[in-house]
Amino acid sequence: MTHVTDHGGGVRSIEVPIPDNPLGHTLVYVVDTDRGPVLVDTGWDDPASWDTLAAGLTACGTSVTEVHGVVITHHHPDHHGLSGAVREASGAWIAMHAADTAIVRRTRGTGPDRWFTYMTDKLTAAGAPEEHLAPLRAPRRPRALPGFSPALPDREIVPGELLDLPGRRVRAIWTPGHTPGHVCLHLEEAHPAQLPGHGRLFSGDHLLPEISPHIGLYEDPDDDTVTDPLGDYLDSLERIGRLGSAEVLPAHQYAFTDAAARVGELLAHHESRLTGLLTLLATPLTPWQLAERMEWNRPWSQIPFGSRNIAVSEAEAHLRRLVKLGRAEAVTGSDPVTYVAV
């Protein structure tokens, strides 16, 4: 069954399924403009997802072929996956922030062998055990990976500027953290139900009602810049909290009000988590050892292979924040490198 919600004021959402994922679906928003519907995200590249998106657009009184443009909050495949198919069917443009477009371009030019080598090196440096590394070195590993041919955007989302959506006022807000080029979109129009506040916010994965989004590392193997994605995320949260939007339209779960309260919860969550990690770092730990000891939504023994890679990336992001704050440091001469609270 196709689930479509009318949010009023020419904005609807379609629940586009994500195969084999506990999130269940991505909320793809359909925004009416004077030149036809514009989508905020598109959903996962899967036949069932495509059929649901197409049926949802029909339920909205339009069709895939009528789509004027696609605005991508960030490059992840549950948001950007169907963008190319939509463009092929309709001739729509695709817009994305330059930082995420760079990742898309790098992904399109990276073969699976290079990806496996890079992941093996990263996980080795993080202290992963050999039994975890072995599948990455296996000669029968897959020759292709999902999401390795994402559509290359043809427009750039420029932070602070209004998007080219005739008849609408939608301003891009750069909110790095979940990805380097994540953007929220501020619909600078009166709320259709006259809720108090300043317009509505398409928040992507930056601000969700019940989930703290993953904050990991997205690094170019050829660039040795040390980034601080968690610091970027926390700064971005504070900016969104000050916006005072009347309602938040996220990419998962459901629409909600009082963005400032949710921002406060997330800031407190991350401060509590950083404090808890300092307790764990009373003795030196590698990023892998830290990830093993962190609290997740299930015990470490039940976390599957791919999710462990994501967890280690998140542990490293938290370590970088602690190091930047002067609350932890790398142990000189350790190999793989360990970190300790200071």
Side-chain angles (χ1 to χ4, degrees):
M1 182 181 295
T2 303
H3 295 277
V4 175
T5 301
D6 189 344
H7 298 274
V11 177
R12 302 169 185 84
S13 62
I14 304 169
E15 295 184 5
V16 177
I18 310 171
D20 303 318
N21 190 296
L23 275 176
H25 59 263
T26 300
L27 292 172
V28 172
Y29 291 93
V30 184
V31 181
D32 293 340
T33 79
D34 291 346
R35 291 187 187 169
V38 168
L39 304 185
V40 177
D41 294 332
T42 57
W44 191 276
D45 185 6
D46 177 80
S49 303
W50 172 259
D51 290 345
T52 301
L53 178 63
L57 286 165
T58 299
C60 290
T62 184
S63 69
V64 173
T65 59
E66 298 299 315
V67 173
H68 172 61
V70 175
V71 183
I72 299 300
T73 60
H74 61 295
H75 72 84
H76 286 165
D78 56 323
H79 297 258
H80 182 43
L82 285 172
S83 300
V86 170
R87 179 167 60 190
E88 184 175 344
S90 65
W93 47 260
I94 301 172
M96 183 183 285
H97 186 280
D100 271 21
T101 297
I103 294 174
V104 168
R105 186 172 287 110
R106 190 166 72 237
T107 299
R108 289 169 60 90
T110 301
D113 283 339
R114 187 180 183 206
W115 185 87
F116 281 117
T117 299
Y118 172 69
M119 283 299 299
T120 302
D121 292 345
K122 284 288 293 181
L123 288 164
T124 300
E130 179 56 35
E131 58 266 27
H132 185 84
L133 297 171
L136 294 170
R137 297 192 177 113
R140 294 185 180 179
R141 64 196 182 191
R143 304 300 298 178
L145 294 168
F148 256 69
S149 296
L152 192 63
D154 37 51
R155 291 192 181 184
E156 180 180 340
I157 297 176
V158 180
E161 292 191 2
L162 290 172
L163 300 181
D164 182 19
L165 306 185
R168 309 306 299 242
R169 285 186 60 86
V170 179
R171 193 175 303 277
I173 304 173
W174 184 33
T175 50
H178 184 57
T179 71
H182 191 291
V183 293
C184 292
L185 307 167
H186 189 203
L187 182 57
E188 298 179 342
E189 301 170 10
H191 192 280
Q194 302 303 310
L195 294 181
H198 304 290
R200 291 181 281 180
L201 184 75
F202 298 103
S203 66
D205 281 2
H206 184 71
L207 191 64
L208 303 170
E210 298 177 5
I211 298 171
S212 175
H214 165 68
I215 308 298
L217 306 180
Y218 287 92
E219 297 181 318
D220 184 340
D222 300 321
D223 185 348
D224 58 3
T225 302
V226 178
T227 59
D228 178 21
L230 181 55
D232 292 340
Y233 176 68
L234 298 176
D235 289 344
S236 301
L237 271 181
E238 292 182 345
R239 291 201 307 277
I240 291 300
R242 292 192 294 267
L243 195 63
S245 55
E247 187 177 25
V248 179
L249 303 176
H252 303 288
Q253 300 189 304
Y254 51 85
F256 62 100
T257 57
D258 203 348
R262 181 59 181 145
V263 165
E265 291 173 357
L266 287 166
L267 291 172
H269 162 75
H270 281 287
E271 181 56 36
S272 175
R273 195 172 205 192
L274 289 169
T275 300
L277 296 188
L278 289 174
T279 301
L280 294 175
L281 292 169
T283 56
L285 297 173
T286 66
W288 180 275
Q289 291 169 333
L290 183 62
E292 287 180 313
R293 292 159 174 77
M294 291 170 69
E295 290 189 14
W296 306 103
N297 59 2
R298 69 191 95 172
W300 183 259
S301 61
Q302 297 177 19
I303 297 178
F305 179 89
S307 297
R308 288 189 178 191
N309 296 339
I310 294 171
V312 173
S313 180
E314 184 148 333
E316 289 195 83
H318 281 74
L319 282 169
R320 288 191 182 183
R321 177 95 286 247
L322 289 170
V323 169
K324 188 166 184 177
L325 292 171
R327 298 162 75 179
E329 64 183 12
V331 177
T332 302
S334 56
D335 185 19
V337 64
T338 58
Y339 295 84
V340 65
V342 295

